[in-house]
Amino acid sequence: MTGYQGPQRVLSGIQPSGGMHLGNYLGAIRKFVELQHKYDCFYCVVDMHAITVWQDPAKLREQTFHIAASYLAAGVDPKIAAIFHQSAVRAHAELAWIFNCVARLGWLDRMTQFKDKAGKDKQRASVGLYTYPVLQAADILVYKATHVPVGEDQKQHLELSRDIAGKFNHDFKADDFFPLPEPLIKGPGARIMSLRDGSSKMSKSDGSENACIFLKDDADTMTRKIKKAKTDPEPLPSEPKGLEGRPEAENLVGIYGALSGKSDAEVLAEYGGQGFGVFKPALAELVVEKIAPIGAELNRLEADPAYLKSVLDAGAERASVIADKVVREVKEIVGFVV
Ligand code: TYM
């Protein structure tokens, strides 16, 4: 942090571009729940980010409710934290434009997520996909958020947000107007890997349906996916250093630890020397115990879209009060007539 003196605030967001999975839960939403008791929190469903790649309109609306319902089902309390959809707070888009004029092409050229998502033919990617991290910076800084809970894959985008905040403050001689937001990444679950390939992250867009555990999977599906998870033939080691070079084993031990609150060392003290024939059923039982109740609550909430809409609208109204004020100040700083 710099000398920023404003209130401590948290903002984070999830894209409504597919089903919510165990990686999103452990890397992000679980932290959202803890943080709501410590900070003023803003949790966004980033529908404008989702359309940087094609989204079927009817599905987008459905998935927006799905993400909102997931926040609630996991324990985010809408009376404490603001839950809203990005497109409903127009200050995000307004600030994003101004930030487009602050961020440098060279900074965006370095973004690895664009390279991954654009694939081989980047000429065909949307312009929005390229400036995606600039909109992300606007999401955060339109609330002058000081802390951003995310999984490890968002590290580079958070660095860019800090760079944009720093350059804005510097260029406009607006010392400490924006905080330099701190990513909150550390902790178990920051990087959950695919169940089919320990070297790629668990993702909603994974081609293999067994790679990803969704919060809405029923108990049998979760158990089957874990039983089918790729592993190696060796038994589990008795210490964490024995997991080196065994990414699939490391991932399953990490998931067990993240859900049970135990360190890798504690998990291995219990299961070291055992084969996956013993460990996988224990893991499946734990995943079902922790995730199935969230899935059940999620299904219950999704059956009531009118309630979800009322939560989103109330959240957007609350968020707009802060965001509109910040954008107005930014316009003055930049020299717009306000
Ligand atoms: P998205 O929708 O891809 O992911 C949402 C959150 O889940 C985390 N995550 C994971 N954590 C651990 N293991 C995994 N396998 C895994 N997969 C996903 C992500 O790190 C993220 O925290 N760019 C963001 C959305 C965003 C945003 C923001 C986040 C837009 N504006 C402002 C924070 C602040 C994204 O792609 O999320």
Side-chain angles (χ1 to χ4, degrees):
M1 284 290 266
T2 50
Y4 180 76
Q5 298 291 327
Q8 307 271 296
R9 287 196 189 117
V10 166
L11 174 121
S12 197
I14 296 187
Q15 297 187 72
S17 52
M20 194 74 103
H21 59 71
L22 191 62
N24 300 136
Y25 175 68
L26 291 173
I29 306 185
R30 204 167 62 156
K31 292 184 207 147
F32 298 0
V33 179
E34 285 165 29
L35 289 164
Q36 66 183 336
H37 303 295
K38 287 200 213 140
Y39 299 96
D40 212 4
C41 290
F42 296 84
Y43 297 133
C44 194
V45 183
V46 290
D47 47 4
M48 297 199 298
H49 277 107
I51 62 161
T52 57
V53 297
W54 171 252
Q55 303 293 332
D56 174 79
K59 263 204 182 142
L60 179 63
R61 210 165 290 125
E62 204 176 280
Q63 281 165 354
T64 299
F65 287 133
H66 170 67
I67 305 296
S70 302
Y71 290 167
L72 295 168
V76 177
D77 181 345
K79 291 201 260 333
I80 302 177
I83 296 176
F84 61 100
H85 47 319
Q86 185 186 32
S87 61
V89 181
R90 63 168 172 249
H92 289 241
E94 289 185 87
L95 186 59
W97 179 258
I98 294 168
F99 282 175
N100 271 329
C101 303
V102 173
R104 304 289 95 180
L105 274 182
W107 298 358
L108 290 182
D109 280 343
R110 286 197 288 275
M111 295 293 118
T112 56
Q113 189 164 303
F114 173 76
K115 290 178 195 154
D116 293 346
K117 283 203 172 177
K120 285 198 190 82
D121 193 2
K122 69 175 184 178
Q123 296 300 316
R124 296 179 65 87
S126 72
V127 175
L129 189 64
Y130 188 69
T131 62
Y132 176 118
V134 177
L135 176 59
Q136 182 161 347
D139 296 339
I140 297 166
L141 292 165
V142 83
Y143 303 97
K144 297 190 174 183
T146 50
H147 297 84
V148 185
V150 280
E152 203 168 281
D153 59 348
Q154 295 303 308
K155 198 165 173 225
Q156 198 184 34
H157 287 166
L158 263 292
E159 278 160 15
L160 187 92
S161 297
R162 292 169 63 91
D163 289 345
I164 290 176
K167 185 162 165 52
F168 181 95
N169 290 348
H170 176 265
D171 288 358
F172 293 100
K173 300 189 178 42
D175 270 357
D176 300 323
F177 178 76
F178 283 123
L180 303 189
E182 294 281 342
L184 301 175
I185 295 175
K186 283 202 192 76
R191 190 166 170 77
I192 301 296
M193 309 309 281
S194 154
L195 297 181
R196 301 301 306 161
D197 173 7
S199 66
S200 70
K201 71 168 185 178
M202 184 176 282
S203 144
K204 34 198 165 203
S205 53
D206 197 299
S208 160
E209 86 124 8
N210 289 324
C212 191
I213 292 179
F214 293 101
L215 299 189
K216 279 176 68 126
D217 282 344
D218 60 30
D220 287 350
T221 307
M222 290 185 206
T223 304
R224 178 173 49 77
K225 288 180 177 177
I226 290 168
K227 288 202 173 141
K228 285 197 164 170
K230 184 176 166 198
T231 43
D232 55 44
E234 303 298 318
L236 283 172
S238 47
E239 287 173 30
K241 69 173 181 325
L243 291 170
E244 275 168 32
R246 300 178 64 186
E248 285 84 15
E250 188 178 8
N251 188 37
L252 296 187
V253 169
I255 293 173
Y256 192 102
L259 287 171
S260 62
K262 291 181 180 158
S263 65
D264 284 2
E266 286 168 327
V267 178
L268 294 173
E270 204 176 331
Y271 289 99
Q274 305 271 21
F276 287 99
V278 172
F279 184 63
K280 279 182 172 176
L283 176 61
E285 201 177 309
L286 180 65
V287 170
V288 169
E289 180 197 322
K290 300 286 183 188
I291 303 299
I294 299 175
E297 179 63 1
L298 185 48
N299 286 329
R300 192 187 70 77
L301 287 161
E302 279 182 336
D304 192 353
Y307 169 69
L308 295 172
K309 175 83 167 50
S310 73
V311 168
L312 289 171
D313 287 346
E317 209 172 298
R318 242 167 95 185
S320 294
V321 173
I322 311 266
D324 288 348
K325 181 165 176 283
V326 172
V327 163
R328 195 185 159 84
E329 288 167 3
V330 169
K331 285 180 170 176
E332 272 177 31
I333 291 172
V334 169
F336 292 166
V337 175
V338 289

